[in-house]
Amino acid sequence: MSAPAREPWREPPIGLLAELTHRCPLACPYCSNPLELTRRERELPTASWERVLEEAAELGVLQLHLSGGEPTLRSDLEAIVARARALELYSNLITAGVGVSERRLEALAEAGLDHVQLSVQDVDAEGCDRIGGFEGSLARKLAFAKAVRRLGLPLTLNAVVHRHNLDRLERFVELALELGADRLEVAHVQYYGWALANRAALMPTRSQLDRSVAVVKAARERLGDRLLIDFVVPDYYATHPKPCASGWGRAVIVVAPDGRVLPCHAAHVIPGLVFPNVEEKPLRWIWQESPAFQRFRGFDWMQEPCRSCARREIDFGGCRCQAMQLLGDPEATDPACTLSPEHARIMALAEAEAAAPPPAFRYRRLEPVPA
Ligand code: SF4
Ligand code: FES
């Protein structure tokens, strides 16, 4: 007997993450994009993105995150931003800021862009170039950040931190202040996609992590409202897992460059799920009824210890993709949780990798990855 069909999901997503392209001038080894990147020929055309935004607004989406790869490589970005503005979607540009002229930024602001989130790989030129795999990146980023502020757009500085730049965290805070950023996001690497392939090269030690916690605490106390600091800790050293994507299919909808729709950026690692494409199915149906989005909603799919745990409504059992990647079972408790029987093994693995000399980076590239 087949399982009864589930009720359509009634709550709308808050945010839509539009991965406009996988093309990028940078090659960061912690990129969360899949190892097999989508080529330009397979990217959605402008008209399809505009229709996606209309369907998203109609569904109840409030925020649009324009991401990639590098979204400014799309020459139709102004048109997409203008459509978002017309639909009253709050638009946030997530960019590396290395190839955007002030004129282009002005055009985006005129089209109605609401917010800019700029990634900075390191606080010195050498580190920034080495991590991002792009020469002269820091000077370009600083010029871009100044242009953002000159145009009066709110700015978030995004610092992805790991064993190679973590000891300069105080300087990241100072840089955010110097640039007039409203927010600093200090995000320890999350190990998906290219980051998982580079885990041993990136994993910090426990003492580096502890120090970063202290630096963020001190900066928050010292700066108060002058600078909002968001802090994401690395899963492998966590006590409880993060409520990944605020729970599967609960708050976020991701549209990949080729139009496939996913509940999170890494969901393609889970075998057996079919991700519908916006060229074939309405966004509303995908969100409310598609089997891929229904798969881990609610609590019925959970195993112990999550099934009877009081925190299941806080973290939803953690990350399904991480459970799949590390344990081969997408229904298992995320091993970031101390209640997972696998937690100690995962933590020991992180500690061993962090204690060993770091291997060379495997940079993110568009070419297929050898097996
Ligand atoms: Fe969260 Fe499951 Fe751990 Fe409970 S057992 S804290 S629900 S991951
Ligand atoms: Fe997919 Fe966490 S990245 S559920």
Side-chain angles (χ1 to χ4, degrees):
M1 208 169 66
S2 61
R6 289 178 66 177
E7 279 286 298
W9 189 256
R10 301 289 171 205
E11 298 299 318
I14 298 162
L16 182 137
L17 179 70
E19 291 182 342
L20 297 179
T21 179
H22 277 160
R23 290 173 286 139
C24 187
L26 267 62
C28 305
Y30 50 71
C31 182
S32 63
N33 286 159
L35 294 183
E36 205 169 309
L37 297 163
T38 298
R39 297 193 162 268
R40 182 184 198 148
E41 313 79 79
R42 293 187 51 222
E43 289 176 8
L44 286 183
T46 315
S48 298
W49 276 115
E50 290 183 333
R51 183 176 44 74
V52 167
L53 299 194
E54 281 156 28
E55 290 185 28
E58 196 268 327
L59 181 58
V61 167
L62 300 174
Q63 299 162 359
L64 171 66
H65 302 283
L66 298 160
S67 172
E70 173 52 53
T72 59
L73 290 181
R74 292 274 309 212
S75 56
D76 57 0
L77 187 58
E78 288 84 339
I80 292 171
V81 168
R83 196 75 202 108
R85 170 51 67 98
L87 293 162
E88 298 183 4
L89 293 168
Y90 183 91
S91 59
N92 173 32
L93 175 65
I94 302 173
T95 178
V98 296
V100 192
S101 67
E102 185 152 0
R103 225 164 122 202
R104 180 95 199 275
L105 193 57
E106 261 170 35
L108 290 168
E110 273 165 28
L113 185 66
D114 290 300
H115 182 272
V116 177
Q117 184 172 324
L118 170 67
S119 63
V120 181
Q121 281 64 23
D122 208 335
V123 288
D124 62 55
E126 189 274 327
C128 204
D129 287 1
R130 190 168 58 86
I131 294 164
F134 186 97
E135 214 172 300
S137 55
L138 186 61
R140 288 175 181 234
K141 283 167 183 283
L142 299 185
F144 174 80
K146 285 174 190 157
V148 170
R149 295 304 297 129
R150 261 199 304 277
L151 288 167
L153 286 167
L155 174 67
T156 293
L157 211 61
N158 172 246
V160 176
V161 290
H162 43 80
R163 69 193 288 178
H164 297 277
N165 63 5
L166 205 43
D167 298 333
R168 292 182 285 287
L169 191 47
E170 285 99 339
R171 183 67 198 117
F172 274 105
V173 175
E174 293 313 314
L175 184 64
L177 289 170
E178 284 162 24
L179 292 173
D182 309 272
R183 233 175 100 228
L184 170 66
E185 189 177 271
V186 178
H188 276 268
V189 170
Q190 305 287 301
Y191 294 96
Y192 306 97
W194 292 85
L196 186 63
N198 280 294
R199 191 178 61 193
L202 296 164
M203 187 64 75
T205 61
R206 162 75 68 179
S207 68
Q208 276 187 305
L209 165 66
D210 291 345
R211 200 172 156 275
S212 71
V213 173
V215 169
V216 169
K217 183 168 178 283
R220 280 178 173 157
E221 284 167 6
R222 180 167 62 90
L223 299 170
D225 291 343
R226 265 179 75 202
L227 181 68
L228 289 176
I229 305 180
D230 292 335
F231 188 45
V232 179
V233 299
D235 288 328
Y236 288 60
Y237 291 123
T239 308
H240 297 298
K242 59 184 182 286
C244 197
S246 304
W248 183 274
R250 293 178 64 94
V252 184
I253 190 163
V254 180
V255 182
D258 60 1
R260 278 177 313 143
V261 187
L262 300 93
C264 64
H265 61 276
H268 53 83
V269 303
I270 300 179
L273 294 182
V274 178
F275 300 108
N277 195 296
V278 286
E279 299 287 42
E280 286 153 16
K281 295 281 184 188
L283 204 60
R284 177 176 290 278
W285 178 85
I286 296 172
W287 175 257
Q288 292 186 332
E289 299 188 53
S290 70
F293 274 77
Q294 294 282 41
R295 178 67 177 84
F296 299 108
R297 281 177 172 151
F299 305 107
D300 292 348
W301 57 270
M302 284 182 173
Q303 303 173 357
E304 293 296 349
C306 293
R307 185 175 269 268
S308 52
C309 178
R311 281 186 60 91
R312 69 180 196 172
E313 292 183 36
I314 300 170
D315 62 34
F316 310 102
C319 176
R320 296 305 88 226
C321 303
Q322 187 145 268
M324 178 66 218
Q325 286 178 161
L326 299 183
L327 309 177
D329 179 0
E331 294 183 351
T333 295
D334 184 340
C337 179
T338 40
L339 299 175
S340 160
E342 297 293 331
H343 180 74
R345 184 172 69 79
I346 297 301
M347 225 174 62
L349 191 145
E351 279 169 344
E353 286 183 345
F361 289 149
R362 183 170 157 191
Y363 285 102
R364 171 207 197 271
R365 302 274 180 227
L366 210 53
E367 292 80 43
V369 180

